Amino acid sequence: MQTLKNNEENRMTGSRVLVVGGGVGGIRAALDLAESRRNVILIDTSYSIGGLMTRLDRTFPTNNCDLCTVSPHLSESSRQVYLDLKPMTRLENLTGEAGKFTAELVTEPRYIDMEKCTACGECYKQFPGAVRFTPGLDPRAPTCMRYPQATPYAFSIDMSKVADITALQKVCKADAILSQDRQQTAVVDVASVVLSMGAELFDPAVLDHFGGGRFDNVVTTLEYERIMSASGPFQGDLVRVSDRKRPKKVAWIQCVGSRGINKGDVPYCSSACCMISLKEAMVTKERFAESIETTIFYMDMRTFGKDYELYLNRAKTDYGIRMIRSRPHSIVEEAGTKNLSITYALEEETLQKTEEFDMVVLSVGFRVPGSSVDLARRLGVDVNAHDFIRADHFNPVVTSRPGVYVCGVAQSPKDIPETMVQASAAAGMAASNLPASADLSETEMDFVPERDISGQEPRIGVFICDCGLEIGGVVDVGKMVEFSKAQPGVVAAGAVGYGCSKESMLLIEESIKAHGLNRVVIGGCSPRTHEARFQDLLRRAGLNKYLVEIVNLRDQNTWAHMAQPKEALEKSFRLLSAGISGVARNRSLVDQTLPMSRNALVIGGGVTGMTAALQLADQDVKVYLVEKNSALGGLAKSIRRTIEGEDVGLFMARLMEQVSAHKNIMVLTDTIIVDHSGVPGRFKTGLQTGLRMNYMQVDHGVTIFASGACPTARMPMAWGFMRGS
């Protein structure tokens, strides 16, 4: 990764995209652009990237570990040769027009040489007041890093709090302290900009009726996530802040600060809060004790995403989550026990009820920080009445300034899945403003030559992750290490904590070299999310990337058998044995590169299919747009106006005209698919098209399904519609 040079002003030229904000949306947009060979600069004002997601314990609707999902995307890999990460950096000014912007970037001093820092913690031990603390409930955080996989993996010093700079420099064995570090300015030529600054959470301390921040056992949803997290203040143990005892009754109050007219309230819904509370209540019973009584006070549950309603039903039927439709007015703390009394009213009863809980979680929504509003003003980008960036109603990633796009919560409140989709859309739009860079071969990347292991006996290294409590909280990692050491061909085995953290990966890499390992087994998370990262590790260590085997101890074992630790440990032994015997038979393989079709097949000529086809065509991709009906448009043709009053018919007419006239789009109406074959990048699909159903075959590298859905054929009488109307 590139770094700013130590001069006052540095001019960087070349076609690239600037992504502002290093949360999950900014990361997704940056990686999509990098994978399409667009040079990207990813900036964030914080000292590490990841945003709010890195402070969550699990994500819905899969209840997956959030770090296991995002951390593989936070670290260096071969696709990031196109990505330049700049933490502690802000966009000061943007001039020019789409395709020819000039951006002024200001980077604050870190006072740390990131190339040298090993995050050993010695500077914190000697100068704890000079190291920035982890946000959240943990006042004892040993580093400024917000989570174990912090990127970049380096400390940040507040030099104004250091009385003796020489003494600070002496404690750093890596000689990484830069006492003369200064604020730096860079002027960058960019073709387009993606805004993904995210948002902050509402602070309920202004609400006196909910304690005003005075009650120890009243926490926000984010603070509750930190309590449950293995990297949190209590190492993943669910306890009350006041007395460190496990709660027996926990209540969630929805819409705190949202959908109201009272002090501190905003009228809008923050979209994700209902699902967050459901997830936290389910995980509480799943991970800690089924006997913990969990109650959610709600106005109405807005579970509108894919499978979200099923998630709500699971919470009620499988987990026994109490759902009370009421909006409590106040919380009262009991003086002796510090328990919390909630008084509420039910729709079907006239008298109020009062109930006591051990903990209360306030479900708070999103707010746009003042820094984002100020940035939008300086960039000349419009915002709405609530300070979210105003986007085009028909293309919600397009802002009022051409060439500047937006994604995630900066545009409107939304959850992580929707943020990811919008981030990819913004990346696609931004990519159309500049050409792809030349593809880099593996020899041009930061890999050493592969060792020839042909004829060598297997020398296997086994490395077991505990993933906080995800694995180590269910099975004994030490026993798995001892078991692995006794297996044939294993010459090194050890526990590596969070195996996907940079520190652990360096340890594995050093072990490969020190023990002359020629094969590796990783006992940890899913290869779906982590395989590419460990393959890169082997290449850096001089081994063929196919000499690693990932044993999925988490998904296939500890998650499935959380309440059966003894049986789970026995299954771990069997899984590890299979992985070790399998990797012993692995041989070095060579990737074969085949020519790939640059064409795309889009199935469905509605608004989604036409938009996808147009975006690909603008990037010089040949598109076959297939529609079974005689005309494009789909269901959108029957809609007159949007809820905002926009003319859908006019929009559709313009869209169809653009698609039909585009030189890179072949529109095939009255067409059906009759056969399909091939592999990714080299597909062949047979079509029957036209009135005579003539057969034709098209070559394409990718397929996009945008076939839409059918409306309900007949409205139930209970809905108040006349049959046949």
Side-chain angles (χ1 to χ4, degrees):
M1 293 184 180
Q2 303 170 13
T3 57
L4 291 176
K5 297 179 181 178
N6 295 322
N7 56 4
E8 185 175 350
E9 182 167 311
N10 176 40
R11 180 85 184 198
M12 290 181 289
T13 61
S15 297
R16 66 190 75 201
V17 178
L18 175 64
V19 178
V20 181
V24 64
I27 292 170
R28 180 71 272 159
L31 289 179
D32 280 0
L33 287 161
E35 288 172 353
S36 65
R37 305 199 315 275
R38 267 72 176 185
N39 290 315
V40 189
I41 302 174
L42 174 61
I43 68 172
D44 195 279
T45 55
S46 182
Y47 41 76
S48 59
I49 63 174
L52 281 176
M53 184 174 179
T54 58
R55 297 161 67 186
L56 304 180
D57 178 58
R58 302 282 184 96
T59 55
F60 59 81
T62 60
N63 288 355
N64 198 358
C65 167
D66 73 292
L67 291 181
C68 297
T69 301
V70 75
S71 62
H73 302 306
L74 300 182
S75 301
E76 299 87 348
S77 66
S78 59
R79 60 187 166 187
Q80 290 190 336
V81 296
Y82 300 100
L83 194 154
D84 185 5
L85 172 62
K86 297 185 184 302
M88 303 179 71
T89 300
R90 68 179 185 273
L91 173 58
E92 190 66 23
N93 194 25
L94 184 72
T95 58
E97 59 185 18
K100 297 179 181 180
F101 285 122
T102 298
E104 181 183 346
L105 307 180
V106 177
T107 301
E108 297 300 326
R110 181 185 286 270
Y111 300 105
I112 289 288
D113 187 332
M114 291 189 293
E115 298 297 324
K116 295 181 179 179
C117 179
T118 61
C120 65
E122 287 300 318
C123 59
Y124 173 76
K125 294 175 185 177
Q126 301 297 325
F127 296 86
V131 178
R132 291 177 174 89
F133 289 105
T134 300
L137 289 173
D138 189 0
R140 304 171 292 107
T143 73
C144 70
M145 293 174 292
R146 291 185 284 184
Y147 50 100
Q149 296 88 343
T151 299
Y153 195 69
F155 278 47
S156 178
I157 304 296
D158 186 347
M159 199 59 74
S160 65
K161 297 181 179 180
V162 180
D164 190 340
I165 296 177
T166 302
L168 173 63
Q169 290 175 315
K170 287 182 178 179
V171 301
C172 182
K173 299 176 182 178
D175 191 28
I177 307 297
L178 298 176
S179 61
Q180 300 301 315
D181 202 4
R182 295 291 181 268
Q183 185 186 81
Q184 301 167 21
T185 300
V187 177
V188 187
D189 293 332
V190 297
S192 51
V193 179
V194 176
L195 301 178
S196 182
M197 299 87 68
E200 60 187 13
L201 295 179
F202 170 64
D203 184 0
V206 300
L207 304 179
D208 296 335
H209 56 289
F210 285 155
R214 304 186 310 275
F215 302 158
D216 288 340
N217 298 322
V218 176
V219 297
T220 65
T221 43
L222 184 58
E223 289 170 337
Y224 194 78
E225 295 275 350
R226 298 308 304 144
I227 290 174
M228 291 195 298
S229 176
S231 61
F234 309 121
Q235 291 74 52
D237 190 16
L238 177 59
V239 296
R240 303 201 317 169
V241 176
S242 64
D243 53 17
R244 305 298 193 267
K245 293 181 180 178
R246 176 160 294 175
K248 296 179 181 178
K249 294 182 66 177
V250 183
W252 282 258
I253 299 178
Q254 297 303 107
C255 302
V256 175
S258 300
R259 301 180 65 198
I261 58 174
N262 296 319
K263 176 184 176 182
D265 286 348
V266 292
Y268 59 80
C269 170
S270 287
S271 181
C273 312
C274 290
M275 290 294 292
I276 290 172
S277 294
L278 284 173
K279 175 204 67 177
E280 290 181 349
M282 292 167 69
V283 172
T284 295
K285 297 177 77 72
E286 185 179 77
R287 276 185 51 193
F288 300 104
E290 291 185 9
S291 60
I292 297 177
E293 185 177 313
T294 55
T295 303
I296 296 178
F297 293 93
Y298 70 99
M299 291 174 64
D300 44 54
M301 297 302 292
R302 297 191 166 185
T303 51
F304 51 83
K306 184 177 181 179
D307 290 339
Y308 286 9
E309 189 71 12
L310 296 177
Y311 193 82
L312 171 61
N313 293 336
R314 281 179 55 209
K316 293 189 289 188
T317 58
D318 297 351
Y319 290 85
I321 310 297
R322 289 176 65 205
M323 307 295 297
I324 299 178
R325 188 166 192 173
S326 180
R327 191 165 190 176
H329 176 269
S330 58
I331 302 171
V332 177
E333 183 183 68
E334 303 299 328
T337 62
K338 291 203 171 184
N339 289 346
L340 304 154
S341 294
I342 296 178
T343 300
Y344 60 95
L346 298 176
E347 290 179 305
E348 63 273 14
E349 298 183 15
T350 57
L351 297 178
Q352 290 185 332
K353 293 177 175 288
T354 300
E355 191 170 347
E356 193 172 283
F357 295 90
D358 300 313
M359 287 184 70
V360 175
V361 184
L362 303 180
S363 186
V364 294
F366 296 117
R367 295 288 195 279
V368 179
S371 58
S372 295
V373 179
D374 180 62
L375 176 61
R377 178 186 57 78
R378 285 186 280 111
L379 298 184
V381 174
D382 293 343
V383 298
N384 64 17
H386 306 298
D387 292 331
F388 293 98
I389 293 176
R390 189 185 300 277
D392 186 285
H393 290 135
F394 293 114
N395 195 339
V397 300
V398 175
T399 71
S400 59
R401 184 172 181 180
V404 178
Y405 308 98
V406 64
C407 67
V409 184
Q411 185 263 331
S412 67
K414 55 180 63 69
D415 58 20
I416 292 171
E418 189 178 354
T419 294
M420 299 288 267
V421 171
Q422 197 175 45
S424 292
M429 295 294 292
S432 63
N433 290 324
L434 73 165
S437 302
D439 196 7
L440 298 180
S441 66
E442 188 174 281
T443 57
E444 297 175 274
M445 300 177 188
D446 190 20
F447 293 143
V448 299
E450 285 186 15
R451 282 195 282 130
D452 182 7
I453 67 163
S454 57
Q456 296 181 8
E457 290 296 317
R459 294 182 60 82
I460 303 170
V462 182
F463 303 96
I464 312 293
C465 311
D466 63 29
C467 292
L469 298 176
E470 302 295 325
I471 296 174
V474 180
V475 294
D476 190 326
V477 172
K479 290 183 178 179
M480 288 192 286
V481 171
E482 294 304 314
F483 171 84
S484 300
K485 288 179 178 178
Q487 301 307 299
V490 175
V491 297
V496 290
Y498 288 94
C500 55
S501 69
K502 186 172 182 179
E503 182 182 35
S504 295
M505 299 194 83
L506 287 173
L507 186 151
I508 296 171
E509 191 173 338
E510 291 170 359
S511 184
I512 291 173
K513 296 173 182 177
H515 295 92
L517 304 180
N518 55 26
R519 290 167 178 82
V520 171
V521 172
I522 303 293
C525 300
S526 170
R528 176 179 58 84
T529 55
H530 288 68
E531 183 178 52
R533 192 166 180 204
F534 285 109
Q535 286 181 335
D536 284 354
L537 183 152
L538 259 66
R539 288 294 296 111
R540 292 194 299 271
L543 291 177
N544 185 273
K545 67 179 182 180
Y546 295 107
L547 297 174
V548 62
E549 191 76 24
I550 298 181
V551 177
N552 194 347
L553 296 175
R554 186 195 64 175
D555 298 33
Q556 297 177 357
N557 190 17
T558 57
W559 276 8
H561 310 292
M562 193 171 291
Q564 302 166 294
K566 182 179 178 181
E567 291 81 359
L569 182 61
E570 291 298 322
K571 184 176 180 180
S572 297
F573 294 157
R574 295 195 296 273
L575 290 172
L576 286 169
S577 179
I580 292 168
S581 61
V583 81
R585 295 175 173 84
N586 285 5
R587 297 291 181 267
S588 297
L589 301 176
V590 178
D591 287 336
Q592 299 295 325
T593 302
L594 298 174
M596 173 179 168
S597 172
R598 287 275 300 166
N599 303 335
L601 174 66
V602 178
I603 303 172
V607 62
T608 304
M610 287 192 290
T611 302
L614 198 60
Q615 187 59 35
L616 288 168
D618 284 344
Q619 298 182 46
D620 206 29
V621 174
K622 173 70 175 180
V623 181
Y624 298 100
L625 179 58
V626 173
E627 168 58 47
K628 68 177 181 179
N629 295 312
S630 58
L632 299 175
L635 291 176
K637 290 194 300 183
S638 61
I639 301 173
R640 293 169 58 191
R641 293 188 180 275
T642 67
I643 194 171
E644 295 87 3
E646 298 285 341
D647 190 332
V648 177
L650 179 61
F651 166 75
M652 291 297 295
R654 290 173 177 172
L655 183 61
M656 287 187 284
E657 181 182 358
Q658 286 179 291
V659 168
S660 300
H662 205 293
K663 65 177 183 179
N664 290 330
I665 300 177
M666 178 181 287
V667 177
L668 297 167
T669 54
D670 290 319
T671 301
I672 59 173
I673 295 173
V674 293
D675 60 65
H676 176 75
S677 62
V679 296
R682 295 167 62 86
F683 291 123
K684 291 182 181 295
T685 298
L687 310 172
Q688 284 186 332
T689 183
L691 295 177
R692 297 186 177 184
M693 287 285 105
N694 296 321
Y695 181 83
M696 65 178 294
Q697 190 177 70
V698 296
D699 299 325
H700 55 104
V702 295
T703 306
I704 295 179
F705 279 88
S707 50
C710 295
T712 302
R714 180 173 294 176
M715 300 293 184
M717 292 294 290
W719 289 5
F721 292 97
M722 295 292 293
R723 183 172 298 175
S725 63

